[in-house]
Amino acid sequence: MSAVHDSAGPTSPLIDPFGRGIEYLRVSVTDRCDFRCVYCMSEHMTFLPKQDLLTLEELDRLCAAFVRRGVRKLRITGGEPLVRKNILWLFNQLGRHLQTGALDELTLTTNGSQLSKYAQDLKAAGVERVNVSIDTLNPQKFRTITRWGDLSTVLRGLDAAQAAGIKVKINAVALKDVNEDEIVDLIRFAHGRGADLTLIETMPLGDIEEDRTSQYLPLSIVRARLMDTFTLIDDPYRTGGPARYVKVKETGGRLGFITPLTHNFCESCNRVRLTCTGTLYMCLGQDDAADLRRPLRASPDDALLDTAIVQAIARKPKGHDFIIDRPSQKPALARHMSVTGG
Ligand code: SAM
Ligand code: SF4
């Protein structure tokens, strides 16, 4: 495979076969969570044995290998990243790449349950922005969707993050018959606190003991309905990711739509995903993956790891092909979102 030779050396940028530069690494630091959101997990999940997890030192080494090769943005996710023991150590370590200028952004996606505890330390580590997932402002509904979560705790976390000077974006999964009547309120709530809101379509990842087709709400419908209430103005703002944005004229805030099922966003994909066991997924919507744990552990220097990373990027597929499989109700991919962190 001549295309995967590391001839340009261990600091050359990662470019995939379709010419897309890989500048964004999402790292799932745990598959565990203190919530059990209905679209993400089943109530009785089997989690990975602790000994299969990479240590925080190993995760740090892996991230450093990607940063050396031009990754400019790291997003820490999970499972719930803030339930991983000692996670602040990792944030503080990764913060050094911000100081050297090698990294533009260190950020995280969280359910917010631990944010009031960690907000100030995260900010001190260099986290300037955080995504917090809130699907409803109704405490009972929040409990129903998350099974175990408490809305007031999450809202306290949101306050703490903003008080610490961290910019917040709120993510909400649009769920048919569950929160579709609340989208206008969620927009007013988020924009009223100076936060962007991004709506996400449910993705068919992992067996969740529920009927996915009953949860699926196309955002094209949501968007059309919102136009009864708001003036939506297309916004060219891009993060290199799947979200497309509008400005809401009446609130002055930004609203994003992540529509993997109704819109193809692969042509500009600049990201790969690392799991807490060191498996690299080159595409959220494909099963192909590369094991980086073996080369990482095989040698204390990074030569084997570098080669494995280059070979993996050479396999990044052109795009995904999500289908919510109606007849069988089976997920399009067996792994849960909590494995790759979205
Ligand atoms: N626990 C953190 C949280 O909830 O923000 C981080 C991990 S969670 C897997 C990341 C994002 O994926 C959340 O915004 C969550 O709502 C979303 N998510 C989980 N399962 C999903 C699914 N099947 N379809 C669409 N989004 C999903
Ligand atoms: Fe946990 Fe996030 Fe999945 Fe909800 S979406 S169960 S908070 S990992």
Side-chain angles (χ1 to χ4, degrees):
M1 279 208 283
S2 59
V4 300
H5 274 325
D6 201 5
S7 51
T11 57
S12 61
L14 296 167
I15 313 279
D16 81 359
F18 304 96
R20 296 169 298 190
I22 306 305
E23 297 186 339
Y24 182 5
L25 176 68
R26 298 172 74 107
V27 186
S28 174
V29 294
T30 175
D31 63 331
R32 288 166 197 254
C33 187
D34 52 352
F35 291 4
R36 291 288 181 278
C37 301
V38 290
Y39 47 77
C40 179
M41 296 193 180
S42 67
E43 186 151 24
H44 307 286
M45 291 286 288
T46 311
F47 293 109
L48 293 163
K50 288 229 166 77
Q51 67 268 21
D52 284 0
L53 297 194
L54 296 184
T55 64
L56 294 176
E57 289 79 359
E58 287 171 327
L59 283 166
D60 179 36
R61 202 179 131 201
L62 260 172
C63 290
F66 277 93
V67 170
R68 260 198 318 273
R69 302 205 75 121
V71 161
R72 310 274 325 163
K73 175 169 173 180
L74 286 174
R75 177 175 297 280
I76 305 303
T77 175
E80 174 46 40
L82 297 182
V83 303
R84 173 111 193 219
K85 207 169 154 200
N86 253 336
I87 191 65
L88 265 183
W89 179 88
L90 183 63
F91 277 100
N92 285 321
Q93 286 297 111
L94 298 176
R96 74 187 184 277
H97 303 298
L98 295 167
Q99 282 157 18
T100 64
L103 196 64
D104 292 332
E105 185 167 37
L106 172 62
T107 183
L108 76 152
T109 301
T110 173
N111 66 22
S113 68
Q114 313 293 316
L115 252 188
S116 52
K117 183 163 126 201
Y118 285 124
Q120 288 201 346
D121 291 329
L122 288 169
K123 171 77 177 169
V127 173
E128 300 287 346
R129 299 198 305 158
V130 60
N131 288 1
V132 184
S133 304
I134 303 177
D135 302 327
T136 173
L137 298 169
N138 174 315
Q140 280 81 39
K141 223 188 261 183
F142 190 86
R143 173 55 65 108
T144 307
I145 294 174
T146 62
R147 292 200 185 98
W148 297 1
D150 173 51
L151 180 63
S152 61
T153 309
V154 171
L155 295 180
R156 274 201 302 280
L158 208 62
D159 289 339
Q162 292 192 306
I166 300 178
K167 203 162 163 30
V168 171
K169 179 162 83 72
I170 295 175
N171 283 344
V173 177
L175 297 162
K176 193 169 163 195
D177 299 330
V178 178
N179 64 357
E180 61 182 308
D181 57 337
E182 267 195 86
I183 308 286
V184 167
D185 290 344
L186 280 164
I187 292 171
R188 292 210 167 101
F189 170 79
H191 292 178
R193 335 181 27 129
D196 290 348
L197 177 74
T198 295
L199 301 172
I200 309 175
E201 247 168 30
T202 51
M203 297 180 224
L205 292 182
D207 197 350
I208 52 168
E209 297 167 3
E210 306 233 352
D211 175 3
R212 291 225 182 246
T213 52
S214 72
Q215 297 177 345
Y216 177 55
L217 174 62
L219 289 185
S220 50
I221 294 182
V222 175
R223 189 177 169 145
R225 281 189 202 147
L226 283 175
M227 279 150 66
D228 293 339
T229 313
F230 295 123
T231 316
L232 307 181
I233 304 160
D234 278 335
D235 183 339
Y237 177 74
R238 291 282 184 278
T239 59
R244 294 293 173 262
Y245 294 91
V246 295
K247 273 263 185 229
V248 179
K249 189 172 168 217
E250 289 74 9
T251 61
R254 187 178 281 145
L255 175 66
F257 297 90
I258 299 187
T259 56
L261 297 169
T262 56
H263 189 85
N264 207 309
F265 53 79
C266 305
E267 67 282 353
S268 62
C269 182
N270 63 353
R271 61 196 57 194
V272 289
R273 295 171 163 82
L274 183 70
T275 74
C276 55
T277 56
T279 303
L280 189 74
Y281 284 93
M282 285 70 82
C283 172
L284 179 63
Q286 302 274 2
D287 270 331
D288 186 31
D291 174 25
L292 299 184
R293 183 173 59 182
R294 197 146 23 120
L296 179 84
R297 288 186 173 166
S299 142
D301 81 51
D302 287 343
L304 293 173
L305 176 63
D306 276 330
T307 304
I309 291 174
V310 171
Q311 287 178 346
I313 299 303
R315 298 209 312 261
K316 186 167 162 66
K318 194 168 180 193
H320 68 65
D321 189 22
F322 280 125
I323 302 164
I324 289 187
D325 185 344
R326 270 172 203 282
S328 69
Q329 308 290 4
K330 283 272 180 279
L333 291 173
R335 69 175 191 274
H336 288 87
M337 187 70 112
S338 49
V339 173
T340 45

